[in-house]
């Protein structure tokens, strides 16, 4: 019971207590915690929206919502999950882990770090309150394609402002992360000694810096088209609606990797720990990550094979997209080679990592199917695509986030989490995830378009199954909340090393690590 | 951190520098690379598609990046030097562009050190001067006890 | 040996195909064109390759999980690189990819070949229905969802073709190369018929094309595949492929029908207020009701009410101008593709229905005068 008091960080003498501590904090650990809680909150909001739309899709016919509200649900589910849940979660991990992993006392720009977090809640409020303005939230899909998005009500403007704010937050966060990683490594921590999580975040931050202005520009052009009479995307005024898609996906495809590369990093930390064996092919992992990042700039148009490009363009984008399978494959092979002839145990983080490799690879396979232009033309904008990106985003990014949380939460809180709860959370999530999304491959193949509130009778069985799975998956996440709260409040004391096979500077620190600095001088072999 | 206790004559000097794993040429290289990529993308969109509104955002971002790197550059050479010079404890702090020098009478100077090494300061005449900002906790504790030892020895030799 | 296996496999596939012929729930729809068949075969090929990779890779992972666990007494070895292995597993996927890219490239090139069509149909996406113009035969019509509202709202049992049935299907002759030109009036739509292997975005202000040649007569159903607003899920596409003789007869029939409508909708005849209202009710039902609703009350916040509206009860020319040019930045698009009579009728109907009692008829001549 006394452990309940032990979660405070170090000494409280030099920083304000209560709410002001969190508002004013410039400490990377506090800010990491804030990011993670923010992201979890948005995950719940986005999840509730998902369940609301699955409710309507439980059976054919319109039962619960009106079609326009259904479109608002799909749109906001996408925006909130992408910008509110997945991205901030990874920034939270970056804040907590990067300084500890490279032996730095804090992030390079502590004040800016505070700003980049505190921009997020206002953006989230804009997004959520847009449901209550006249006309409701934007219903143009998370891709906010013009000219549909120019038809929307004021909810669209709120979403645009929210995207601007979140973009500014991401840019500041990325600059901070790049500077921290490059300039604040402990003596001896050379680039090729950095943990893979740090590497993946360095590359992710570069991607963010490269594409965020593109998103900001795109939504600003949308805004001026809507209100100030410009005609960037308005065909009647000489603009080109397809240009919006080119710009959006030039941002959007790297964005996809922004959401998966840090996940690769987390899995690359977890697998060697529980295999008690060094990561196989460290340098090829670094090169593979870099190639994925570079390729991400030349594949964007595979999201728009049906707009009617010339054959040469379709061929180029198909070949480039297929190429991505090579470095991605290298990563999967390396993880398995790391497990090979290891001495594995399967604590909760390892379960999530194995689940990640297994289910993410299935998303990778369907990605390969979708890369083949003629097949993509048949499957574009169907539930097959919905299945594909949920396999990579939920089973990919989200599973890695859960795995990473269980992996590092003993370090963060100083307590071990409840292993039984963690395992239940994993197995229920894994089963219900597949119950929800696997059938979507079939509905997509059979011809069910995405973003429709009602469907033909042949899709009824699979949709019913998906809805049941979605509710199971949603409820299983309450176990995660329970496990985390329980771990914060107490539990078995975590040792500094925590995991038998863990390597890296963060494991040389006490659990929980002291509030201010890298306590012990880092030793980098 | 580099501390020298020069013989029994008790000349004590300690210099602590900031840890920079990125050299100034490295900084220039990184900035040049990011600038080329971002502006290249923005210019390509402007020229090829007329989507010029990306340009100001890329420019603003480069400005933030420039300011960030400029800040890093300005503070790259920051150091702290603490030395016993005759009667006084001389402290020299370089913070960005300017160098500040303090001199404390060693008989009045007191070492304030948090137990966990999170903070180290010198107190004299009711004012505190924080030192050891480029150090980690253990180094601060070491410096703190070294300073205490030095100050005590002086007092003893006078007494 | 291999041929025997292949035969066995082919038989199994055939069995599966017949078993699912009605409503294929697990795979792409039964292909009806060369392109659709190529897509189907490509997909099958890739699925087999993927399955093979899956078995190898996850076989290794499963083996490792079973035998290299601490509980099974495994001791960790410390190797962490092997250049040969790493080169092998970079090069092999590359070769597999080339094997997949080759047939895909051939299909892309034939998909894109829209030259020398026997028949060209322009498909225009509207919120939320399709308009078709047969460019050679001079036939034009709109095609909208014919599933009754009651079925959607669960007040009546759902029919077999629930949500994938239309009032006027696209009729095409079998064995002829049909070129589809797509465009849109308001936002981006996509013209998609899975069994024919085509999906083409319909983009406002731009024209794109694609083609198909149906092998055998039948009815093929598809849907709009690009989110286009509220009733995106309610604008299906139905293609009826018929023998060329039947097609010729259908063309004649359509022409007669159009001529009849032209007579009935003669703008020069004297239209009474009641005539206009009666005609307008139909036009309203097929063009306006999705947003402004049968009650004229619209959807608060999203689509304005017409009943009691200032514009509808104001000067008629303003309302005509608005309907002709649309309202930028809203879902209210230009309706200038409708005829003078249709517009006059619909506007008259809105001005003399619900709470609106202007008692004033808008004549086709009024509309004509305001067209640019």
């Amino acid at each position: 019971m006394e452990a309940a008091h032990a979660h405070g960080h170090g000494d409280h003498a030099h920083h304000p207590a209560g709410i002001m501590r969190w508002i004013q904090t410039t400490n990377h650990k506090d800010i990491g915690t804030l990011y993670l809680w923010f992201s979890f909150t948005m995950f719940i909001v986005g999840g509730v929206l998902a369940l609301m739309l699955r409710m309507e899709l439980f059976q054919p016919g319109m039962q619960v919502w009106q079609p326009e509200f259904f479109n608002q649900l799909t749109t906001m589910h996408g925006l909130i999950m992408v910008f509110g849940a997945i991205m901030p979660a990874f920034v939270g991990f970056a804040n907590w882990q990067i300084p500890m992993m490279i032996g730095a006392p804090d992030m390079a720009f502590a004040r800016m770090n505070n700003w980049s977090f505190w921009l997020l809640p206002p953006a989230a409020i804009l997004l959520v309150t847009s449901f209550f303005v006249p006309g409701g939230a934007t219903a143009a899909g998370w891709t906010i394609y013009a000219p549909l998005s120019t038809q929307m009500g004021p909810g669209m403007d709120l979403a645009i402002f929210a995207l601007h704010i979140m973009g500014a937050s991401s840019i500041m966060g990325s600059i901070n992360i790049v500077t921290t990683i490059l300039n604040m490594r402990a003596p001896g921590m050379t680039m090729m000694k950095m943990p893979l999580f740090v590497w993946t975040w360095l590359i992710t931050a570069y991607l963010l810096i490269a594409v965020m202005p593109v998103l900001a520009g795109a939504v600003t052009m949308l805004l001026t088209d809507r209100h100030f009479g410009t005609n960037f995307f308005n065909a009647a005024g000489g603009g080109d609606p397809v240009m919006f898609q080119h710009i959006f996906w030039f941002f959007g495809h790297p964005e996809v990797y922004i959401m998966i590369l840090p996940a690769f990093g987390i899995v690359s930390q977890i697998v060697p720990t529980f295999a008690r064996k060094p990561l196989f092919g460290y340098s090829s992992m670094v090169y593979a990550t870099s190639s994925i990042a570079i390729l991400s700039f030349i594949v964007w148009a595979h999201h728009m094979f049906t707009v009617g490009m010339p054959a040469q363009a379709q061929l180029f984008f198909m070949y480039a997209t297929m190429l991505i399978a090579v470095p991605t494959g290298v990563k999967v092979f390396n993880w398995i080679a790391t497990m090979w002839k290891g001495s594995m145990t399967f604590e909760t983080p390892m379960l999530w990592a194995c689940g990640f490799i297994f289910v993410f690879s299935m998303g990778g396979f369907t990605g390969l199917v979708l890369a083949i232009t003629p097949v993509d033309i048949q499957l574009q904008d169907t539930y097959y695509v919905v299945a594909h990106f949920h396999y990579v985003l939920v089973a990919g990014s989200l599973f890695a986030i859960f795995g990473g949380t269980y992996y590092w939460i003993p370090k963060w809180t100083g307590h071990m989490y409840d292993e039984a709860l963690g395992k239940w959370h994993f197995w229920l999530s894994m089963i219900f995830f597949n119950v929800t999304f696997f059938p979507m491959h079939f509905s997509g193949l059979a011809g069910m378009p995405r973003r429709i509130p009602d469907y033909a009778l042949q899709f009824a069985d699979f949709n019913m199954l998906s809805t049941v799975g979605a509710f199971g998956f949603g409820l299983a996440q309450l176990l995660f909340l329970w496990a985390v709260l329980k771990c914060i409040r107490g539990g078995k004391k975590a040792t500094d090393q925590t995991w038998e096979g863990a390597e890296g500077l963060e494991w040389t620190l006490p659990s929980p690590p002291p509030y201010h600095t890298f306590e012990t001088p880092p030793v980098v072999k | 951190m580099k501390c020298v206790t020069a013989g029994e004559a008790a000349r004590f000097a300690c210099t602590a520098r900031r840890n920079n794993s990125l050299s100034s040429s490295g900084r220039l290289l990184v900035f040049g690379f990011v600038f080329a990529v971002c502006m290249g993308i923005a210019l390509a969109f402007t020229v090829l598609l007329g989507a010029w509104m990306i340009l100001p955002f890329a420019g603003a971002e480069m400005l933030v990046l420039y300011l960030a790197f400029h800040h890093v550059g300005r503070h790259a050479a920051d150091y702290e030097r603490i030395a016993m010079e005759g009667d006084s404890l001389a402290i020299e702090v370089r913070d960005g562009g300017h160098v500040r020098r303090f001199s404390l009478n060693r008989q009045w100077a007191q070492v304030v050190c948090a137990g966990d090494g999170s903070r180290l300061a010198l107190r004299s005449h009711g004012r505190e001067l924080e030192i050891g900002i480029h150090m980690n906790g253990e180094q601060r504790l070491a410096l703190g006890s070294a300073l205490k030892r030095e100050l005590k020895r002086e007092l003893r030799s006078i007494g | 040996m291999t041929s025997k296996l292949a035969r066995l496999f082919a038989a199994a596939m055939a069995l599966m195909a017949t078993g699912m012929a009605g409503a294929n729930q697990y795979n792409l729809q039964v292909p009806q064109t060369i392109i659709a068949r190529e897509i189907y075969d490509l997909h099958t090929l890739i699925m087999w390759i993927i399955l093979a990779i899956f078995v190898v890779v996850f076989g290794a992972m499963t083996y490792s999980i079973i035998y290299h666990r601490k509980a099974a007494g495994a001791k960790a070895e410390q190797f962490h690189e092997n250049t040969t292995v790493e080169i092998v597993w970079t090069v092999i996927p590359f070769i597999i990819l080339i094997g997949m890219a080759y047939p895909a490239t051939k299909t892309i090139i034939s998909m894109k070949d829209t030259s020398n069509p026997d028949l060209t149909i322009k498909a225009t996406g509207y919120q939320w229905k399709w308009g078709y113009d047969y460019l050679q035969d001079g036939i034009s019509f709109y095609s909208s969802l014919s599933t009754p509202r009651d079925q959607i709202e669960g007040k009546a049992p759902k029919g077999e073709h629930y949500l994938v049935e239309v009032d006027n299907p696209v009729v095409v002759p079998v064995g002829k190369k049909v070129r589809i030109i797509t465009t849109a009036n308001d936002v981006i739509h996509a013209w998609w018929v899975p069994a024919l292997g085509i999906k083409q975005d319909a983009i406002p202000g731009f024209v794109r094309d694609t083609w198909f040649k149906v092998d055998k007569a039948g009815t093929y159903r598809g849907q709009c595949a690009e989110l286009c607003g509220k009733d995106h899920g309610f604008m299906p596409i139905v293609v009826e492929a018929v023998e060329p003789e039947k097609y010729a007869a259908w063309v004649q029939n359509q022409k007669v029908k159009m001529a009849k409508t032209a007579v009935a909708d003669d703008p020069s005849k004297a239209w009474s207020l009641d005539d206009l209202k009666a005609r307008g009710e139909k036009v309203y039902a097929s063009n306006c009701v999705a947003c402004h609703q049968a009650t004229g009350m619209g959807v608060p916040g999203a689509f304005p009410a017409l009943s009691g509206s200032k514009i509808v009860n104001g000067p008629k020319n303003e309302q005509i101008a608005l309907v002709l040019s649309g309202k930028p930045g809203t879902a209210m698009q230009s309706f200038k593709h409708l005829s003078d009579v249709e517009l006059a009728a619909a506007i008259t109907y809105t001005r003399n229905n619900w709470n609106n009692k202007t008692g004033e008829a808008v004549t086709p001549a009024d509309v004509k005068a305001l067209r640019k």
Side-chain angles (χ1 to χ4, degrees), chain A residues 505-522:
Chain A
L505 289 179
E506 78 263 41
W507 305 109
T508 63
L509 291 168
S511 302
Y515 187 72
H516 265 308
T517 52
F518 209 88
E519 194 73 19
T520 338

Side-chain angles (χ1 to χ4, degrees), chain B residues 74-115:
Chain B
R74 230 161 50 93
H75 290 273
D78 282 5
Y79 66 84
E80 254 178 14
R81 201 180 118 82
I82 300 162
M84 292 279 192
E85 287 168 0
D87 258 356
S88 62
L89 187 57
I91 299 142
E92 192 175 301
V93 180
R94 188 190 140 135
D95 180 17
H98 41 177
V99 178
R100 288 177 300 160
R101 291 192 179 79
F102 305 89
S103 184
L104 305 180
N105 188 315
R106 67 178 163 209
Q107 284 159 37
W108 292 101
Q110 255 183 306
V111 179
V112 184
C113 188

Side-chain angles (χ1 to χ4, degrees), chain C residues 98-116:
Chain C
I98 293 173
M100 288 161 62
Y102 179 70
T105 304
K106 285 204 297 194
T107 307
I108 291 178
I109 289 167
S110 43
M111 279 176 116
K112 280 284 168 187
D113 179 19
T114 52
S115 58
N116 305 319

Side-chain angles (χ1 to χ4, degrees), chain A residues 62 68 71 135 150-151 276-278 281 284 306-307 309 319 341 343-344 377-378 380-381 446 454 457 500, chain C residues 29 68 70 74 76-78 80 86 105 112 127 152 159 162 192 194 199-201 208 225 229 301 329 333:
Chain A
M62 298 303 298
E68 58 268 32
N71 289 346
T150 44
Q151 283 188 356
R276 294 168 179 75
K277 191 163 156 282
S284 69
T306 62
V307 295
M309 282 177 276
Y319 298 149
K341 298 207 165 163
S343 169
M344 281 189 277
I377 285 179
Q378 188 71 289
Q380 145 117 54
D381 272 318
D454 194 6
L457 300 179
E500 190 190 2
Chain C
Q29 294 184 10
H68 304 149
K70 204 180 175 192
E77 296 195 8
Q78 292 301 309
H80 55 85
E86 288 175 60
T105 304
K112 280 284 168 187
Q127 282 173 322
I152 296 174
Y162 176 70
W192 178 37
K199 180 187 288 150
Q200 177 57 56
D201 285 3
R208 297 286 200 268
Q333 294 300 314

Side-chain angles (χ1 to χ4, degrees), chain C residues 41 53 59 80 97 130 149 167 190 194 227 269 277 279:
Chain C
D41 294 342
I53 302 173
H80 55 85
L97 288 178
W130 291 94
R149 209 60 227 167
D167 48 5
L227 178 63
K269 88 174 188 198
K277 268 183 74 176
R279 178 81 183 95

Side-chain angles (χ1 to χ4, degrees), chain C residues 14 67 86 120 168 211 218 224 230 246-247 269 335 363:
Chain C
Y67 292 102
E86 288 175 60
T120 304
N168 301 309
W211 70 276
C224 173
K230 181 167 91 70
K246 275 174 91 180
Y247 173 73
K269 88 174 188 198
F335 281 89
T363 64

